Amino acid sequence: RKRGANVTDIVVLVVAADDGVMEQTKECIAAAQASRCPIVVAINKIDKEGAEPERVKTDLMKYGVLVEEFGGDAQCVEVSAKKGLGIEDLLDKVLLQAEVMNLKATPELPAQGSVIEARVDKGLGVVVTGLVQKGTLKIGDLLLCGPAWGRVRRLLNDQGKEIKSAGPSMPVQIVGLNNVPNAGDVFMLTTNEADTREVAEARQRLQKQVKGDVAGTVEALRNSIEALELSDENTICKPDIVFSGVGDVTSSDVSIAQVSKAKIVAFNVAAGYNAMEEARAVNVEIGYYNVVYELLEELEKKVKLTLAPPPPGVLVGRAEVKKIFKIGKAGKVAGCEVVEVGKRNPVYTGTIASLKVVKDEVKEVPAGSECGVSLKDFTDLEEGDVIECFSLRNADDDN
């Protein structure tokens, strides 16, 4: 529920009119509130004997969900899924909420989305069920997804039919990755196969198994390792400890590391002869350490390698916003100077709607010149913002 609330824009909370607010309802409300998603309430089974929709609305108030007719901001619809009653009204409420939130997407951008679940199918291999959140995903695209990577070989829609592309807000099954990613992982389009493979393999190497000489040391190491978290605008990466324990490394430890593809961290302990032989046979790495900061420095370097490669495209220019103008139907227009400055903290990714020098529409502006820029579906510009422009092509493409 928490994962679902994190990847969606609007939560539809379905509550049975006869059962009322149950434990799972409370969990859904908590997940939606934690992710700050607006809630549209659908009170189901209104056709059943004993249905009490008014009681449901009153009970929801106890958990911070106040429907509009009670003076709140949560839209509410009474429905019957069995008889199809109120479904059109529910869809209208969802569309109205989306309009109020000004939810828009740009299909022309490189694809990015989240993994809902993943499995291994005997006929298809690794199948990832995901939700496209930005851009358009196409067959043949190169993807990085958590510890997995690969080219999209097949795309299936929610009805299992093959499709050639999937746009924003579309659930899709993706076939072509080399490993099973984790639920909640972000998948994104990349362009360089070597870099993508390197990042994915580095993420696999973040799986750790910790063995130490005493329990206090193991606990302190575990806390320090788990605190090594780095992130960029798309990805959060940190080591994953699959097992920890006290004593020398044993054959059992090697077996666990082999299954989980983890490296064994041996701090102030050794490995028995049998364990070392088995580790060599199954290609499990054992690292020996006796200084904490050396271990943490090494791990931090590996975590940095796991952040996503740069977005597909070649940086062709930057423009600093000098002044904001309001011009009729065009809305806000940024008066800019083309420069080479700026610290990246992205607040919008999209396309340029208009580029002008004085009153003339132009296709490009040289460095040092001034221009007027308006962006597609974005007007929240401020003085001092930096607009970065990318050409969406492979950086290795000289054509």
Side-chain angles (χ1 to χ4, degrees):
R1 294 184 179 98
K2 181 179 178 182
R3 193 162 59 239
N6 285 337
V7 300
T8 192
D9 296 305
I10 301 170
V11 171
V12 178
L13 181 69
V14 182
V15 188
D18 54 347
D19 292 333
V21 177
M22 305 292 284
E23 196 61 38
Q24 60 266 35
T25 314
K26 300 174 189 176
E27 293 174 3
C28 290
I29 292 171
Q33 291 172 338
S35 63
R36 298 182 178 178
C37 277
I39 295 174
V40 175
V41 179
I43 302 179
N44 194 24
K45 301 183 181 179
I46 58 169
D47 57 313
K48 285 191 67 175
E49 186 177 346
E52 296 182 82
E54 295 304 316
R55 177 175 63 86
V56 172
K57 297 173 188 176
T58 303
D59 289 347
L60 287 172
M61 294 172 59
K62 302 174 185 177
Y63 304 98
V65 180
L66 192 62
V67 299
E68 284 184 332
E69 63 186 275
F70 291 173
D73 56 5
Q75 298 187 80
C76 182
V77 187
E78 296 178 14
V79 303
S80 169
K82 186 175 182 179
K83 295 186 176 181
L85 301 174
I87 301 302
E88 290 297 326
D89 191 19
L90 174 60
L91 295 176
D92 288 341
K93 297 285 188 185
V94 172
L95 290 174
L96 176 60
Q97 183 66 54
E99 187 176 339
V100 169
M101 297 169 65
N102 195 31
L103 295 178
K104 296 180 181 179
T106 307
E108 296 83 9
L109 294 176
Q112 182 178 315
S114 293
V115 176
I116 306 300
E117 61 181 25
R119 70 184 194 280
V120 177
D121 183 275
K122 288 184 179 179
L124 298 175
V126 176
V127 179
V128 174
T129 301
L131 179 68
V132 180
Q133 295 170 296
K134 295 179 182 179
T136 300
L137 182 64
K138 306 181 186 71
I139 291 177
D141 282 349
L142 180 64
L143 290 185
L144 173 66
C145 182
W149 71 281
R151 288 195 179 274
V152 179
R153 296 201 313 269
R154 298 175 69 180
L155 290 173
L156 308 174
N157 65 13
D158 57 328
Q159 298 178 358
K161 296 181 180 179
E162 293 215 23
I163 55 177
K164 293 183 179 180
S165 62
S169 298
M170 187 171 180
V172 65
Q173 294 186 71
I174 305 167
V175 179
L177 298 187
N178 69 326
N179 282 316
V180 179
N182 301 310
D185 279 347
V186 173
F187 63 82
M188 63 185 70
L189 181 69
T190 61
T191 56
N192 188 294
E193 188 168 313
D195 289 346
T196 304
R197 184 191 298 113
E198 182 180 354
V199 171
E201 291 175 352
R203 289 179 179 178
Q204 289 180 359
R205 291 194 293 270
L206 285 184
Q207 301 275 82
K208 304 296 176 186
Q209 182 178 345
V210 179
K211 295 298 294 286
D213 51 350
V214 293
T217 300
V218 172
E219 182 181 2
L221 277 176
R222 186 176 186 123
N223 291 338
S224 297
I225 292 172
E226 289 178 338
L228 289 174
E229 180 179 294
L230 295 176
S231 65
D232 58 18
E233 60 192 87
N234 296 313
T235 313
I236 298 175
C237 295
K238 63 180 180 179
D240 180 19
I241 298 177
V242 297
F243 177 78
S244 61
V246 177
D248 288 346
V249 178
T250 65
S251 297
S252 176
D253 296 326
V254 174
S255 298
I256 294 173
Q258 180 189 8
V259 172
S260 58
K261 298 181 180 179
K263 173 183 175 178
I264 298 175
V265 174
F267 193 84
N268 282 338
V269 293
Y273 177 78
N274 290 337
M276 287 191 293
E277 288 298 307
E278 289 184 28
R280 275 194 284 268
V282 297
N283 200 29
V284 168
E285 183 182 358
I286 303 176
Y288 300 93
Y289 305 88
N290 52 29
V291 180
V292 174
Y293 77 84
E294 290 180 354
L295 166 62
L296 298 180
E297 281 183 357
E298 178 183 311
L299 289 179
E300 186 175 7
K301 290 178 182 177
K302 290 184 177 180
V303 173
K304 287 180 179 178
L305 291 175
T306 66
L307 294 178
V314 179
L315 179 65
V316 295
R318 290 190 177 97
E320 183 178 3
V321 178
K322 296 294 186 180
K323 194 170 182 63
I324 303 296
F325 302 93
K326 291 184 179 179
I327 303 178
K329 295 181 180 179
K332 288 185 179 180
V333 175
C336 303
E337 180 184 0
V338 180
V339 293
E340 282 295 329
V341 300
K343 179 181 178 182
R344 302 192 80 236
N345 183 24
V347 295
Y348 164 81
T349 304
T351 57
I352 293 176
S354 173
L355 178 63
K356 292 186 177 182
V357 175
V358 191
K359 295 183 179 180
D360 297 328
E361 287 276 358
V362 295
K363 292 185 177 180
E364 60 182 35
V365 180
S369 301
E370 295 184 346
C371 60
V373 178
S374 60
L375 303 178
K376 184 178 180 181
D377 300 329
F378 185 78
T379 59
D380 194 20
L381 289 159
E382 297 179 359
E383 293 181 16
D385 284 348
V386 174
I387 300 172
E388 293 186 338
C389 296
F390 288 85
S391 170
L392 295 181
R393 62 180 178 84
N394 194 319
D396 297 327
D397 186 3
D398 294 328
N399 297 326

